[in-house]
Amino acid sequence: MTEYGRSPGSEPWHPQDPLYGDGGWEGQQAHAGHQPAYGGQPQHHHYPQQSQQPEYGDWDHGQAQQYDQQAYQPEYPQQYDQQQYDQQQYVQQGQQQPYHEGGWDGTGTHAHMPYAADPGDPYGQQATAYGAEQPDFYGTPDAYPPPEPPARRQPEPEKPVEPAGEQRTDWDPEPEQGEHPFFAGDAADDQDGDDGEDDDTPGDRGGRGDRRARGGKGTKGKKRRNGCACLVVVLVFGGGLGGAGYFGYQFYQNRYGAAPDYAGDGIGQTVSIEVPKGAGGAEIGRRLKEAGVVKSVDAFVSALTQKPDVSIQAGAYILKKQMSAKSAVEMMLDPKSQANVLVKPGQRNVQVYQAIDTKLGLASGTTRKIAEKEYESLGLPDWANDDTDIKDPLEGFLHPGTYGAAKGMKPATVLKEMVARADEAYAKIDLEAKAKAFGLKSPLQVITVASLVQAEGKTTDDFRKMAEVVYNRLKPTNTETNQLLQFDSTFNYLKNESNIHISEAEINSNQDPYNTYTQKGLPPGPIGNPGADALAAALNPTKDGWIYFVATDGVNKTEFAKTYAEFQRLRDKFNESTGN
């Protein structure tokens, strides 16, 4: 017993005690930092405090050392439930107060820190002598479990508010750690108690215990939710597997499977397809698919590759709808299915116009009238139609080749394509420079020379010689013909004929600008549509001095002469072959 010690009785504090007169825990708190009393209410109980200088002899030396190491801490001024105190400190300060190591024994009580019993605390421990056994009040039915050391404490979950008039029998535990609320059920699902009746109190969670007490309805509700969740998972994974399988099948079909295709030779309905120049198999297949002829582009390309030695020419084709790709390829290779207009080298425009009318199913003369009316909008170059005496501005610009012309198309569309090809071919040549090199006035005269070469020459071997004849006769130094071309082809052009037997009286009496027997120089414009060979010859004539020529057999054989005497012998040869 120390000098200022206190036995377990109700004796007053010693007058010489430094804390004599202190107001208990409230007063100590004022000294410790002016913190309010626990729970915000003044405390009326006075508790003993251990002396700072204990006398030796009252307890053994080991106890004195342990007492020195575990000096009284002002954080625990009262004996009350440690769990409630920890909760209050957690709420007020937001975290647990630190504790000094060694201050807790195995039972959760502070070692060797006796306090006076609190009459208002049924769980308070009675002060006993140091080292003595204290009674265990935690064994009562209403007691809380013993407090745990600070390092192992967890804040208690917030207790639900019991509805008025109901006795809570149990508290439904929270979902296990790691369990997703989707499978465990959330508070919103539990508010109604799942008992078939609406609760009056919003957010009432008391029904969770009631459900279990009434026969386990809550368990069935959870099972239903778990079943729905599993169904959703199955549907999600099943949909993913189904989608993966579908796209995998599509990938296999696209890469290794046969392309979609029709069967047979098609139905009775026909359509016209135009194949542009230079179009490949894929482009042709795309046009056929858009018109409903084939089912897929790949099927057509596959069928076309089975015939590597042939190619589909540009032009228009009359085909049936819903044909197999193989049938479509075979039909396009058959000339009977082609709906084309073929412009031959040297062919005159009037002949081309008539062919277009026939292919488009139009009245004779329709295309010619459109050409005369709309020629300026068909794409002619600037240097075309530079002479007012030109009979047809499009002459020489309907480039030889094959053009699509099927029913339903407009004549202007076909003519534009022909002019566009002529422009493309002529643009490759510097016609202005060539015209100056040969003493010609314009690029149009180069095309005119080529049209004469095409009309008078019989073979490609004749073209270069014929071109030299034209240039030699146009020279001012020409004394043989005095710059007169004297070509039957020009007179036949103006007469729209093809006659090799023309009387001198008829020729000499005609003063038309296209009559080269009476008019010097070149005609106003081309007399036909020259081909590539004739144009090349006009740009590269021979230089042998040819100035005369005669078709000695009246058809294909043309012979050339440099003098008038040689010309006379060739003319006699012609008369003999024709019986004149």
Side-chain angles (χ1 to χ4, degrees), residues 239-249:
L241 292 175
Y246 172 78
F247 286 109
Y249 175 77

Side-chain angles (χ1 to χ4, degrees), residues 155-355:
E156 288 191 10
E158 184 179 354
K159 296 182 179 180
V161 179
E162 297 290 344
E166 294 187 11
Q167 179 66 33
R168 182 181 180 89
T169 60
D170 192 10
W171 186 20
D172 200 5
E174 295 296 329
E176 296 181 3
Q177 182 68 22
E179 186 176 7
H180 196 281
F182 182 81
F183 300 96
D186 52 16
D189 294 336
D190 294 333
Q191 287 180 359
D192 195 25
D194 220 2
D195 56 1
E197 298 180 1
D198 294 334
D199 296 336
D200 296 333
T201 305
D204 183 11
R205 297 180 61 187
R208 298 176 66 180
D210 294 341
R211 285 199 303 272
R212 188 159 51 192
R214 294 175 185 175
K217 292 184 180 179
T219 303
K220 294 182 180 179
K222 287 185 178 181
K223 289 182 178 179
R224 286 196 296 270
R225 287 193 295 271
N226 291 345
C228 292
C230 293
L231 178 61
V232 170
V233 172
V234 169
L235 291 177
V236 170
F237 280 98
L241 292 175
Y246 172 78
F247 286 109
Y249 175 77
Q250 291 297 323
F251 174 80
Y252 175 83
Q253 285 293 104
N254 293 337
R255 191 174 183 87
Y256 304 106
D261 196 5
Y262 292 121
D265 298 331
I267 60 178
Q269 187 177 0
T270 60
V271 292
S272 60
I273 305 297
E274 183 180 359
V275 177
K277 182 180 179 181
E283 173 64 17
I284 298 174
R286 184 184 64 79
R287 290 173 178 256
L288 294 178
K289 183 178 182 297
E290 291 177 353
V293 177
V294 298
K295 194 170 186 179
S296 67
V297 177
D298 292 341
F300 179 81
V301 173
S302 178
L304 187 60
T305 55
Q306 301 301 318
K307 297 182 178 295
D309 298 333
V310 297
S311 61
I312 296 176
Q313 302 297 321
Y317 297 83
I318 304 299
L319 303 173
K320 297 179 181 180
K321 283 193 172 184
Q322 298 184 13
M323 302 179 68
S324 67
K326 181 180 179 181
S327 298
V329 171
E330 292 177 352
M331 194 168 186
M332 294 186 77
L333 295 176
D334 186 356
K336 295 180 180 180
S337 67
Q338 297 181 6
N340 300 328
V341 171
L342 178 62
V343 179
K344 298 178 181 179
Q347 194 171 25
R348 300 171 187 168
N349 280 5
V350 292
Q351 297 170 322
V352 177
Y353 296 150
Q354 186 61 43

Side-chain angles (χ1 to χ4, degrees), residues 133-153:
E133 226 179 272
Q134 296 184 358
D136 183 11
F137 292 101
Y138 290 100
T140 61
D142 297 330
Y144 283 92
E148 296 181 351
R152 292 186 295 173
R153 289 184 182 178

